[in-house]
Amino acid sequence: MKPSLSAAADAVQSAEQALAAGQTGRARSQLDRALSGLLRLQPSAPRDTLLAQVHLRLHLLTQLDGQRGRSEQHLRWGVSYARTAGNGPVRTLAQRLWNDWQAARTSGA
């Protein structure tokens, strides 16, 4: 299957539904699928916006699983893509997650 923004957006939407249903494994699978497709597309603001969303969601999932190193890496990638994409709401989310992570790190959590 050829990667596309719409297929990645559908996978992100499916991941959101899975998360709402408490199906974290299915959500992770959908996010991984979206990530794989997005990385094969040419850089663009819409692609980078979706990449930011995917990485930020993967940050939260890996954080819940106690995978601190992977969680931090997804957060850093998500913040970077959010900054390059220039999408206001995604950038705001990325900044909030970054601030939360920084606060937890300095408090020793």
Side-chain angles (χ1 to χ4, degrees), residues 48-50 52-53 56 78 81-82 85 87-95:
D48 289 354
T49 297
L50 280 172
Q53 292 173 333
L56 295 173
Y81 280 114
N87 179 292
V90 172
R91 216 173 161 165
T92 299
L93 172 63
Q95 189 62 53

Side-chain angles (χ1 to χ4, degrees), residues 13-28 30:
Q13 180 66 26
S14 180
E16 286 296 316
Q17 293 169 350
L19 283 172
Q23 300 170 336
T24 58
R26 184 170 152 252
R28 183 181 315 253
Q30 291 298 317

Side-chain angles (χ1 to χ4, degrees), residues 7 11-12 16 18 26 28 39 55 64 68 83 100 109:
V12 170
E16 286 296 316
R26 184 170 152 252
R28 183 181 315 253
L39 290 173
H55 279 297
L64 286 173
R68 294 182 75 164
R83 288 178 178 160
D100 292 349

